[in-house]
């Protein structure tokens, strides 16, 4: 894993979250994107080398809606940048981690993504991110 790519934060309302984080970080968000397959709208902030992704559920069955219902708003996942997501998924499986995806899928911010089950990662949902080459 090369670096922390971003920290994902679940919010009930994306506009309210954007307002809060714009004040907190001192910069506006640079992108809002819907990922229909995941039932979320995302908003990204960048400050220095760091990125924050806010996630708002677009339906009651999405993972974000269930997370907020169970735990409330807050940190949802930590994402790590990887060079080769398929190889990293295989490496982690061999180490005993449970990967929640059979294969990488298109995520927000021009990334292929896969998730590591929090039960096998010390209670933290881990996202693997690989830049999609155009």
């Amino acid at each position: 894993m090369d670096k922390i790519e971003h920290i994902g934060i679940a919010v009930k309302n994306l506009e309210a979250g954007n307002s809060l984080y714009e004040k907190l970080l001192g910069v506006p968000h640079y992108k809002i994107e819907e990922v229909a397959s995941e039932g979320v709208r995302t908003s990204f902030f960048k400050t220095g080398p760091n990125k924050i992704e806010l996630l708002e559920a677009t339906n009651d069955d999405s993972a974000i809606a269930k997370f907020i219902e169970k735990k409330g708003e807050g940190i949802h996942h930590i994402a790590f940048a990887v060079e080769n997501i398929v190889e990293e998924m295989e490496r982690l499986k061999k180490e005993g981690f449970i990967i929640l995806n059979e294969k990488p899928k298109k995520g927000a911010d021009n990334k292929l993504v896969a998730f590591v089950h929090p039960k096998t990662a010390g209670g933290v949902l881990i996202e693997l991110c690989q830049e999609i080459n155009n």
Side-chain angles (χ1 to χ4, degrees), residues 1 47 63 90 92 97 100 129-130:
M1 296 189 198
T47 177
E90 288 304 315
L92 291 171
F97 294 93
L100 295 174
C129 296
Q130 177 186 316

Side-chain angles (χ1 to χ4, degrees), residues 50-75:
N50 306 304
K51 286 182 5 187
I52 300 290
E53 176 188 33
L54 302 184
L55 303 115
E56 172 194 66
T58 58
N59 65 63
D60 293 338
D61 293 331
S62 74
I64 294 301
K66 292 174 183 174
F67 177 88
I68 289 174
E69 183 178 309
K70 184 176 180 182
K71 298 185 177 185
E73 294 180 296
I75 294 176

